[in-house]
Amino acid sequence: MEYLLYVKKFHKPIFGDEKPSNISDQEWNLLYRQVYGYIRMWVDDNVLNHIIGETNARALWSRLEQLYARKIGNNKMFLIKQLLALKYIDGTSMTNHLNNFQGIVNHLSAIGIKFDEEIQGLLLLRSLPNSWEILKTSLSNLLLMVSSLWTLPRLVF
């Protein structure tokens, strides 16, 4: 939502420190009301009762941040569970499976949980069914060999 405010040039009333000098008070008040209306347009109906008393765009934004900040912990747990429960089913689209996997990893990254490429690879292998066991074992062993090569002392000529 924050990005949408910047795209629509509605960010100043929320993130700016003060009214720009080149805008009249009347234009500033109109912009405040437009921003307030724009944010309310995107708020789900079940959240409206939590923000109904907010009449200022900045106060509305702060209240929404408070409401959604509490959900981040639950969201992290939900996404991790979703990642660990993701299983490829033989005969279905591998592209869809990879897109689902990457989408969950991207969501986790956006909320501060990042996995290095090795862990991502292992999680992806974990999502494959037992019928892929030979491939999973081969790739896991290859990964171990490659990572151990990096720990060997380098020869200087």
Side-chain angles (χ1 to χ4, degrees):
M1 180 69 199
E2 182 177 341
Y3 300 118
L4 289 174
L5 292 174
Y6 277 95
V7 168
K8 298 288 272 180
K9 299 191 184 324
F10 283 167
H11 61 283
K12 288 181 183 175
I14 304 293
F15 306 111
D17 292 334
E18 56 188 45
K19 175 182 86 78
S21 58
N22 62 342
I23 297 177
S24 71
D25 288 339
Q26 188 176 13
E27 290 173 322
W28 185 246
N29 289 335
L30 175 62
L31 182 60
Y32 243 90
R33 291 179 61 108
Q34 288 173 324
V35 171
Y36 180 84
Y38 187 72
I39 294 171
R40 287 277 308 256
M41 179 179 76
W42 290 97
V43 171
D44 197 44
D45 290 340
N46 62 357
V47 178
L48 282 177
N49 62 332
H50 297 287
I51 61 165
I52 200 74
E54 304 299 341
T55 57
N56 176 300
R58 190 177 300 220
L60 173 64
W61 185 260
S62 295
R63 180 70 180 130
L64 288 171
E65 280 183 325
Q66 289 171 352
L67 287 170
Y68 286 99
R70 287 184 276 183
K71 293 185 177 183
I72 288 176
N74 291 339
N75 198 19
K76 285 180 183 179
M77 185 171 57
F78 171 77
L79 288 170
I80 289 173
K81 280 182 176 181
Q82 201 175 22
L83 182 62
L84 294 176
L86 185 67
K87 299 288 183 206
Y88 175 73
I89 299 168
D90 282 325
T92 61
S93 169
M94 179 55 80
T95 303
N96 287 344
H97 179 71
L98 293 173
N99 286 339
N100 289 338
F101 178 84
Q102 192 60 52
I104 296 169
V105 169
N106 290 345
H107 282 301
L108 284 165
S109 179
I111 59 174
I113 298 177
K114 295 177 178 26
F115 299 107
D116 64 22
E117 289 180 1
E118 181 180 358
I119 300 298
Q120 286 183 37
L122 292 171
L123 287 168
L124 183 59
L125 287 175
R126 183 192 173 283
S127 72
L128 298 176
N130 291 338
S131 61
W132 292 56
E133 198 62 39
I134 295 172
L135 175 70
K136 290 165 49 173
T137 304
S138 298
L139 290 175
S140 296
N141 291 338
L142 180 63
L143 182 62
L144 288 173
M145 283 181 14
V146 170
S147 64
S148 66
L149 287 176
W150 291 109
T151 61
L152 292 175
R154 304 225 184 251
L155 299 174
V156 179
F157 294 101

